[in-house]
Amino acid sequence: MCGISGFVAPQLGLEDLQSATRILQHRGPDAEGYFMESLGHLQIGLGHRRLSIIDLSESANQPFYSSDGRYVMVYNGEIYNFRELRKKYQIRTKTKSDTEIIIELFARHGLSAIRELNGMFALVIFDQQEKIIYAFRDRFGVKPLFYYWDGSSFIFGSEIKSILRILRPGPEINVGALGYYLNFGFIPAPFSIYKNIFKLQPGFTLKYEIKERNFSCFPYVRLSEFVAEKTEENPETAVRNVEFLLLKSVERQIISDVPLGIFLSGGTDSSLLAAIAREVSTEKVKTFTLGFSDSLYDEMPYARRIAEYLETDHHEMVVSDHELLRNLDAILQSYDEPYIISAGFSAFALSEFCRRHVTVALSGEGADELFLGYGFYSWARRLNAFPVRPFARMIYRVLSLSPQSYIRYKAGLFKLPEDSLESHIFTHEQYYFSKDEIAENFAPEISESGFGHLALEFPSNRPLDPVEKQSWFDLNTYLVDDLLTKIDRASMAYSLEARVPYLDNDLFAYAVNISSRLRMKDDQAKYILKKILEKYIPKELTERPKWGFAPPLKKWLKKELKPMTEQYLSKKMIEQYSIVHYDFVKSLKNKFHSGQEHLFNKIWLLVLLHKWLSEKN
């Protein structure tokens, strides 16, 4: 795992490249390397910070050159099928690294080679002969890649801060993107908080033909390609095949030349990873759990029971609210743009603890989206069923008259939009700002500039049912720009590589075609995974409510974070930036403090936004 940076721009040199790369040292503390070339008035630079995982020798350092000398590459990620590809294409190598396989495959087969990579990656290749820059991001968006393009200068980096380090003058804020932040809690790809800085979308190629000044972005693979005309309807077949594919995925992903562990919460996803890792590993599995001294929902006892049953080398750490909040500023700075941190608190603490013992960790991201583990999916089924769908407006009017504010809020779920039902369900269940609220209470340029440009295309091979559509929304937005972003920034802040076995190419291609009636059977979430887990761990050890770690933000905003709330939601601060009407903010605060605690995420969104804006100034 690594950090990469670079540019094709005038008036930038080696010192700029080093500066942009070294700010990513936390992503790669083990080595650094640089490539520079001039092309007329343009300077071409590639920079790399290395976290050594496979082939620890210096010969695997980057930038890495193809054997014919034509291509040079910087790369962040891991390719889990690189040994299979080396054998398939009979590639002779001088290292044992996956890096060499990527560039040799590209040298032989060009763009088509990238489709064969099973792993997580963001990579940039420079064709020295044709003077073309290529950039690629993995199909699920596990690894990030940001780039700046203004029509003449191109700058890229693993994090926005790398671009900002050398961009002169600094970019303007993209006010239109704030609509997404307020509605989703994050800014989805390809947008960012800055004008002319973009996120390369998952499964996309960026191609810059420097001599011709041709710049383009296009998909090299689409997830919709793997959606079949028919679904798997046999539960026994589905369970058997998913188990086999998950075994293969974990077997691939435990390959490492450095110590490896597993984030263990005691829930279905992580418990199954730990159980399968024990089956395929030749070494004792290390597991890591975080406990919370001030939380009502402490997962540590559940994780300990699983670890004891599986006989793992188990590690536990208990943290307090104070310890979590102490890292708030550092956590916010890791994202470089407005982003609602909730589970991020525990992800950073767990990554720091885990890194004391290992360099690689397996994590369960992707399981909920693929195997239908969220409450979103029950709502998607419910809101589209008879008699709810035809009488939704009537239900909304009745519930909105309730004397209980929480029920009045939930009534909003039944106010079905004409389009984007999936984002409507997501926003409402996360307690974020609805599009109507944004249009009524925020600056006009926010609602006018946002939303319409995020086109989510559903697969055409077969019509998706409402549950599948909700899952598709999550796979393409929430997973990419919230959950995977969270685990990437948290783990890389401590030079820890986090791998996600549920996002394996082969496992995805099969799981996405299992009937939603099997993946969520009779409203039982993750039915397939739970049936597999029963083979490895007694059911009584794994049955418990799903909650994950939700920090007590309601309490924090009234106590520990109250000074921060008063500072960033003051009349002076709100009117200074003119993002939101102060009367609306005042009303939100009054309602929250008078008992409408379900408004906490809206308060938190506004606090984080104004904190970010004030610090940028």
Side-chain angles (χ1 to χ4, degrees):
M1 197 58 59
C2 309
I4 62 175
S5 65
F7 50 74
V8 180
Q11 301 176 336
L12 292 177
L14 179 58
E15 288 186 6
D16 297 296
L17 183 60
Q18 290 172 334
S19 180
T21 306
R22 286 172 180 167
I23 202 172
L24 301 174
Q25 182 174 352
H26 54 283
R27 300 184 74 94
D30 298 329
E32 69 177 10
Y34 303 97
F35 165 88
M36 286 292 301
E37 179 179 297
S38 297
L39 183 63
H41 71 292
L42 294 175
Q43 299 298 314
I44 302 167
L46 305 178
H48 186 264
R49 292 291 317 193
R50 185 183 182 196
L51 176 62
S52 303
I53 302 293
I54 294 175
D55 189 341
L56 309 185
S57 69
E58 290 185 6
S59 60
N61 286 351
Q62 300 179 41
F64 201 96
Y65 295 79
S66 59
S67 58
D68 61 8
R70 176 174 172 176
Y71 301 98
V72 57
M73 178 179 78
V74 289
Y75 150 61
N76 166 32
E78 294 291 349
I79 304 304
Y80 307 119
N81 65 335
F82 76 99
R83 292 176 178 171
E84 300 163 39
L85 293 171
R86 179 169 56 199
K87 183 177 180 181
K88 176 181 177 180
Y89 291 101
Q90 299 181 331
I91 300 173
R92 288 191 168 191
T93 60
K94 59 185 179 183
T95 72
K96 296 178 181 179
S97 72
D98 56 343
T99 306
E100 187 173 9
I101 301 302
I102 298 171
I103 197 163
E104 292 304 325
L105 269 179
F106 186 84
R108 294 186 189 187
H109 302 287
L111 299 181
S112 64
I114 308 300
R115 289 179 59 93
E116 297 208 46
L117 303 181
N118 191 347
M120 53 181 184
F121 56 87
L123 60 95
V124 176
I125 297 174
F126 176 48
D127 181 343
Q128 298 184 82
Q129 178 176 305
E130 297 297 327
K131 308 304 179 188
I132 300 174
I133 288 277
Y134 297 93
F136 305 93
R137 189 179 180 194
D138 69 76
R139 64 186 64 183
F140 302 111
V142 183
K143 289 290 103 183
L145 188 63
F146 298 87
Y147 67 93
Y148 171 85
W149 173 248
D150 63 1
S152 58
S153 293
F154 168 66
I155 307 172
F156 70 88
S158 295
E159 297 179 21
I160 291 177
K161 60 174 60 69
S162 176
I163 297 172
L164 298 181
R165 188 80 166 189
I166 58 173
L167 186 60
R168 298 183 289 269
E172 297 178 34
I173 290 177
N174 179 13
V175 177
L178 291 178
Y180 292 118
Y181 166 74
L182 296 165
N183 196 229
F184 295 157
F186 56 84
I187 299 172
F191 310 107
S192 87
I193 189 58
Y194 295 106
K195 292 181 179 179
N196 295 331
I197 294 182
F198 306 93
K199 301 171 179 120
L200 186 62
Q201 293 172 269
F204 266 62
T205 299
L206 179 156
K207 183 180 181 183
Y208 181 20
E209 298 170 282
I210 301 170
K211 290 187 290 188
E212 293 80 11
R213 307 301 295 274
N214 290 332
F215 189 94
S216 59
C217 284
F218 50 91
Y220 68 85
V221 65
R222 295 182 186 273
L223 294 184
S224 57
E225 296 175 34
F226 305 99
V227 175
E229 292 181 11
K230 296 182 178 179
T231 56
E232 176 62 73
E233 302 290 341
N234 186 299
E236 290 79 16
T237 302
V239 168
R240 183 174 62 251
N241 289 342
V242 169
E243 180 184 11
F244 172 78
L245 291 167
L246 191 54
L247 278 161
K248 294 298 292 182
S249 176
V250 173
E251 188 175 29
R252 287 188 188 114
Q253 297 201 25
I254 61 172
I255 296 173
S256 173
D257 292 336
V258 293
L260 178 145
I262 298 174
F263 295 151
L264 180 64
S265 69
T268 298
D269 312 334
S270 63
S271 297
L272 184 53
L273 285 184
I276 286 182
R278 191 184 72 160
E279 290 292 309
V280 299
S281 178
T282 57
E283 300 179 1
K284 192 166 188 176
V285 173
K286 294 180 173 65
T287 50
F288 298 85
T289 300
L290 212 59
F292 307 99
S293 60
D294 304 322
S295 175
L296 294 173
Y297 305 115
D298 187 2
E299 297 180 312
M300 194 161 65
Y302 299 100
R304 185 183 300 141
R305 290 161 60 191
I306 301 298
E308 288 172 353
Y309 182 81
L310 294 175
E311 299 179 330
T312 68
D313 178 8
H314 191 55
H315 304 261
E316 297 176 344
M317 183 176 76
V318 177
V319 294
S320 65
D321 285 1
H322 172 73
E323 290 171 303
L324 291 172
L325 286 168
R326 184 180 59 195
N327 292 324
L328 175 59
D329 285 339
I331 293 172
L332 291 174
Q333 289 169 12
S334 295
Y335 293 100
D336 298 328
E337 65 178 354
Y339 169 86
I340 191 165
I341 53 169
S342 51
F345 284 101
S346 60
F348 273 76
L350 181 57
S351 294
E352 189 276 330
F353 172 52
C354 196
R355 187 60 174 91
R356 300 176 197 174
H357 304 272
V358 300
T359 311
V360 178
L362 303 187
S363 189
E365 277 73 20
D368 282 308
E369 293 77 12
L370 264 182
F371 295 96
L372 309 183
Y374 296 134
F376 307 146
Y377 307 125
S378 293
W379 275 111
R381 180 173 288 174
R382 204 173 294 141
L383 291 173
N384 281 279
F386 185 85
V388 173
R389 184 83 190 193
F391 297 104
R393 287 283 172 173
M394 184 184 299
I395 296 170
Y396 164 71
R397 285 194 291 270
V398 171
L399 293 180
S400 62
L401 297 174
S402 171
Q404 297 183 40
S405 62
Y406 181 73
I407 292 179
R408 293 199 303 272
Y409 175 81
K410 281 294 185 182
L413 272 165
F414 297 89
K415 193 178 180 182
L416 304 184
E418 293 182 6
D419 58 1
S420 303
L421 177 60
E422 297 75 31
S423 65
H424 169 75
I425 291 172
F426 173 82
T427 296
H428 213 87
E429 282 293 271
Q430 299 287 55
Y431 301 95
Y432 298 156
F433 292 102
S434 69
K435 292 178 182 178
D436 286 346
E437 284 179 303
I438 294 170
E440 292 169 9
N441 301 291
F442 289 79
E445 57 265 34
I446 293 177
S447 58
E448 289 170 3
S449 300
F451 307 122
H453 305 292
L454 187 66
L456 179 62
E457 295 183 6
F458 292 111
S460 58
N461 290 1
R462 72 166 187 267
L464 300 187
D465 65 34
V467 173
E468 289 178 303
K469 285 184 176 180
Q470 191 68 45
S471 169
W472 198 254
F473 170 85
D474 292 338
L475 282 164
N476 285 275
T477 52
Y478 180 43
L479 176 64
V480 179
D481 294 301
D482 188 328
L483 303 179
L484 292 176
T485 296
K486 172 204 70 181
I487 196 66
D488 173 80
R489 301 303 187 280
S491 59
M492 295 312 296
Y494 301 101
S495 306
L496 176 74
E497 175 173 295
R499 300 177 178 178
V500 283
Y502 288 106
L503 295 178
D504 171 85
N505 291 1
D506 299 334
L507 178 58
F508 170 84
Y510 181 75
V512 77
N513 293 305
I514 299 173
S515 169
S516 65
R517 293 185 294 275
L518 292 184
R519 286 185 278 168
M520 188 174 71
K521 190 174 182 181
D522 301 324
D523 269 350
Q524 182 183 3
K526 291 187 283 198
Y527 172 79
I528 299 293
L529 296 186
K530 288 175 180 176
K531 294 303 290 184
I532 299 171
L533 187 59
E534 288 174 14
K535 298 175 62 176
Y536 296 91
I537 301 174
K539 199 173 181 180
E540 59 268 21
L541 294 183
T542 60
E543 283 194 330
R544 66 177 181 86
K546 175 184 173 64
W547 55 63
F549 174 64
L553 274 172
K554 298 173 189 177
K555 177 176 80 74
W556 287 355
L557 289 169
K558 292 182 177 180
K559 294 181 67 178
E560 291 89 345
L561 292 175
K562 188 172 182 180
M564 184 175 163
T565 303
E566 294 304 316
Q567 177 184 355
Y568 293 110
L569 298 188
S570 66
K571 190 172 191 288
K572 179 181 178 182
M573 182 72 71
I574 295 300
E575 292 181 348
Q576 178 180 347
Y577 294 103
S578 300
I579 295 293
V580 57
H581 304 321
Y582 178 70
D583 288 345
F584 177 62
V585 176
K586 183 179 178 181
S587 174
L588 276 179
K589 289 195 294 183
N590 290 339
K591 289 177 181 178
F592 174 69
H593 289 293
S594 65
Q596 297 186 36
E597 293 187 340
H598 60 275
L599 299 173
F600 73 97
N601 258 348
K602 296 182 180 182
I603 300 285
W604 188 227
L605 279 167
L606 292 175
V607 169
L608 293 178
L609 173 58
H610 286 86
K611 178 175 170 60
W612 185 88
L613 289 168
S614 66
E615 290 175 353
K616 287 308 296 178
N617 281 350

